[in-house]
Amino acid sequence: MSKDKNKIKKDKIINAAIQVLTEKSIEESTVREIAEKAGLTTGSIYYYYKNKDELLIDVINHSIHFSNNISEMNDLEIKNKSELLLEITNGIARRLSKIDEQRLNILLLSDVISKNGPRKEKYKLNYEGIINKVADMYYFTFAVENEAIKKSVASILIAALDGIAIQQSLGVLPESQENFIKIFNAFF
């Protein structure tokens, strides 16, 4: 199967998982329901994902963590600062606009945090990977070479985005959605 067809099918699975997970709890949601919602067989889901936990990590990465969709390279050349900044700003705006998916992110993370075991460890490693990816963006965008500084700034940005997800879920943001996104991006 071609790379594009694989991506299209995985996107279909992830979108179906988001729909199912916004209707039911994590425990109540099944791979079978996700497959039905995607118009696929359960076997098709397991072709792409070993288990539900692996799918849940991909759901978070796909819908919430904009850094996974940003590339520092443009046809094997490093993007210039303005291209990368625009991509980051647009990625943050897309994330902050996905209110239901923001809420889902909080639910998935709180479920993982409340339990110990391999699932929590997978999410922890995934989260660390996201922070490292964002830290790398600071290197490519602002030439920040100090590892401790770029990781700290990346952690602050990710924490701010996750905090906004909590505030959106509670309905306590002080500005309109569009205005808030502009202010947030200007701040960072």
Side-chain angles (χ1 to χ4, degrees), residues 31 53 61 65 93 97-98 138 174:
V31 173
D53 287 343
N61 288 338
H65 294 295
S97 297
K98 297 177 179 182
Y138 280 103

Side-chain angles (χ1 to χ4, degrees), residues 29-101:
S29 302
T30 66
V31 173
R32 175 174 285 153
E33 288 173 304
I34 294 167
E36 286 174 14
K37 188 74 84 172
L40 301 168
T41 64
T42 305
S44 294
I45 305 282
Y46 286 115
Y47 175 80
Y48 294 99
Y49 300 100
K50 286 191 294 189
N51 53 43
K52 188 165 90 171
D53 287 343
E54 196 174 276
L55 173 57
L56 294 176
I57 288 172
D58 220 13
V59 166
I60 289 175
N61 288 338
H62 177 79
S63 63
I64 299 300
H65 294 295
F66 69 94
S67 62
N68 287 326
N69 301 318
I70 292 176
S71 171
E72 297 86 13
M73 304 295 283
N74 185 6
D75 296 326
L76 302 177
E77 292 181 14
I78 295 176
K79 290 181 179 178
N80 68 42
K81 180 180 173 180
S82 61
E83 282 180 301
L84 195 52
L85 275 173
L86 181 62
E87 204 171 331
I88 291 167
T89 302
N90 290 339
I92 288 172
R94 273 191 305 277
R95 177 186 169 171
L96 293 176
S97 297
K98 297 177 179 182
I99 296 170
D100 285 341
E101 292 175 36

Side-chain angles (χ1 to χ4, degrees), residues 100-162:
D100 285 341
E101 292 175 36
Q102 293 270 68
R103 189 175 307 117
L104 177 59
N105 182 45
I106 297 302
L107 292 172
L108 290 171
L109 287 174
S110 63
D111 180 68
V112 166
I113 290 168
S114 70
K115 299 173 180 131
N116 286 317
R119 189 176 188 197
K120 184 174 183 177
E121 189 58 32
K122 283 181 193 176
Y123 274 66
K124 178 184 171 205
L125 292 172
N126 183 60
Y127 211 81
E128 287 171 346
I130 291 162
I131 290 169
N132 288 330
K133 175 94 172 158
V134 172
D136 288 342
M137 288 188 310
Y138 280 103
Y139 169 76
F140 287 110
T141 309
F142 302 109
V144 175
E145 292 184 21
N146 182 299
E147 199 68 27
I149 291 173
K150 71 180 186 178
K151 278 196 173 182
S152 294
V153 173
S155 292
I156 291 166
L157 175 60
I158 297 300
L161 288 167
D162 289 343

